[in-house]
Amino acid sequence: MTTCEDPFVVLGVAQEASREDIRSAYRRLAMRWHPDRNPSPAAAAEFKRLHAAYELLLDDERLAAWRAACHGAAADGAAVGDDLVQSLTLTLEQAAAGCHRTVELLHRVRCSSCAGSGRVQHSHSVPCPACSGCGRVVRTGGRTARCDTCGGHGYLRETACTNCAGSGWRNEPRTLEVTVPPALVGGERLRLARQAPLSPGDERRVAGDLYLEINLAAHELFVLDGLDLHCRVPVSIFRLLCGGRIEVPTLNGTTWIELPPWSPTAGDHRLAGLGFPGKGERAAGDLVLHPQGVQPQLAAREDCQLLELLDWRLAADLEQRAPLLADWQQQLRARREGPVV
């Protein structure tokens, strides 16, 4: 863990977390990253970071000193590395309720194999990688010439480090456990102080801030408009006509609503406060339901008898209950009884 790396971010706990919360987070992450359980090459380093953060958070004196050191470095005008903005995609449920997420980063660190030099000294001569030990290389036109890498000797006592391709630096994975607070909408940013990766040559700088920009994934049921959630609800045509109780989805599960009998002026159903949650002075949105009538594709024989009765009852009062059908019947009657011009 670097000098100003935030131990709260490393363990994914809030600044006001209790000691029990800290212990619980450490146990959970230690089980995941312990080298005896995790074969990843990064597991040992990550486990050390977790343990260092855990010990720091449980030692009040060291924690106070850490805070003073980080604040002092910023106050003294120490050079600060670049900030980084990275996208974090959440489901509507995760964004509404808050969640714990894992963020993967790549840090540039000095190569331990060559101590950052990019070169490796060998105890005995090894074949030159450029000419495979023959001392000559093929040039344009098929001619051969002396190998510039080994000076024509064919063997070297020093070669470029293969672990960092001679750069002296390599990418090392790093994992952050992030606590996402509730009610973050798309486009908002979550700031993780001093968690941005440092670039080569910046090891003496204070790390910049990492900003996680919230992106909301498309949802199979809901469409977010502002803070209102819109949902199309398939409903049997019979239930839609008669009204009655139906079950509808919410961000927290389901609820029941009472549909009134259908009428030509019937519109959508708005459930106040059941949309995306509010935050601070921002009020919660509404859940807007759009009932969609579904007709059965098949009718059983018993159903047909009931439907025939309903059709007969409807025909007795078409002008009031089905004016479009009444107008159609009038046009047919006119064509049947009078000449067609």
Side-chain angles (χ1 to χ4, degrees):
M1 196 173 74
T2 58
T3 304
C4 283
E5 190 172 359
D6 193 332
F8 295 97
V9 174
V10 174
L11 292 183
V13 296
Q15 292 275 344
E16 61 277 8
S18 66
R19 285 179 173 259
E20 184 55 39
D21 291 336
I22 292 171
R23 290 189 181 95
S24 177
Y26 174 71
R27 285 194 295 267
R28 174 172 56 85
L29 294 172
M31 290 286 287
R32 175 181 177 184
W33 289 106
H34 197 286
D36 292 343
R37 291 175 172 268
N38 192 327
S40 170
E46 188 64 23
F47 183 75
K48 289 180 180 179
R49 287 180 63 246
L50 294 171
H51 189 69
Y54 175 65
E55 288 188 330
L56 179 57
L57 289 179
L58 294 186
D59 189 322
D60 293 337
E61 291 186 6
R62 288 183 58 205
L63 184 58
W66 170 81
R67 283 177 167 147
C70 286
H71 294 162
D76 292 342
V80 178
D82 294 334
D83 294 340
L84 174 67
V85 179
Q86 183 166 311
S87 177
L88 179 64
T89 301
L90 303 175
T91 66
L92 280 174
E93 289 84 357
Q94 289 173 331
C99 60
H100 293 281
R101 289 293 304 272
T102 298
V103 176
E104 302 290 342
L105 298 172
L106 280 179
H107 277 248
R108 293 277 288 178
V109 298
R110 287 194 179 277
C111 178
S112 58
S113 299
C114 62
S117 67
R119 309 294 295 177
V120 176
Q121 299 289 334
H122 301 282
S123 58
H124 55 83
S125 297
V126 296
C128 172
C131 64
S132 300
C134 68
R136 302 188 68 80
V137 293
V138 178
R139 302 293 189 193
T140 303
R143 295 182 178 181
T144 63
R146 188 183 68 173
C147 176
D148 295 332
T149 303
C150 62
H153 298 293
Y155 287 82
L156 297 169
R157 295 294 297 270
E158 179 184 280
T159 59
C161 176
T162 56
N163 289 332
C164 63
S167 68
W169 296 84
R170 60 185 179 85
N171 290 327
E172 183 176 277
R174 177 184 166 202
T175 302
L176 292 180
E177 295 287 335
V178 179
T179 300
V180 181
L184 289 183
V185 297
E188 286 191 285
R189 289 182 176 181
L190 180 61
R191 175 176 174 263
L192 303 181
R194 310 302 183 205
Q195 295 301 312
L198 289 172
S199 301
D202 287 350
E203 61 270 16
R204 294 185 179 274
R205 292 188 176 188
V206 177
D209 296 339
L210 172 63
Y211 290 89
L212 299 179
E213 187 166 275
I214 303 302
N215 177 47
L216 298 180
H219 200 278
E220 61 181 358
L221 295 178
F222 303 112
V223 174
L224 185 64
D225 181 13
L227 294 182
D228 290 341
L229 287 175
H230 292 258
C231 179
R232 296 185 179 275
V233 182
V235 182
S236 159
I237 190 65
F238 308 119
R239 177 58 62 203
L240 195 62
L241 288 171
C242 299
R245 278 168 54 85
I246 63 169
E247 188 178 17
V248 296
T250 69
L251 278 180
N252 298 322
T254 65
T255 189
W256 290 83
I257 66 169
E258 190 74 26
L259 279 181
W262 185 87
S263 69
T265 59
D268 302 326
H269 298 267
R270 184 176 289 268
L271 305 183
L274 288 186
F276 199 82
K279 183 175 64 174
E281 297 181 356
R282 185 182 73 192
D286 298 338
L287 175 59
V288 185
L289 304 171
H290 305 270
Q292 308 288 308
V294 178
Q295 300 183 20
Q297 296 184 357
L298 297 173
R301 179 176 302 176
E302 296 80 1
D303 298 333
C304 291
Q305 295 175 358
L306 295 174
L307 292 174
E308 287 285 357
L309 177 60
L310 290 174
D311 189 61
W312 176 79
R313 292 172 62 89
L314 179 65
D317 191 16
L318 283 182
E319 291 186 1
Q320 292 293 325
R321 300 172 61 186
L324 183 62
L325 188 56
D327 182 65
W328 174 251
Q329 294 289 354
Q330 180 63 32
Q331 293 183 55
L332 291 179
R333 187 179 304 110
R335 294 179 67 86
R336 183 172 64 248
E337 297 176 353
V340 177
V341 179

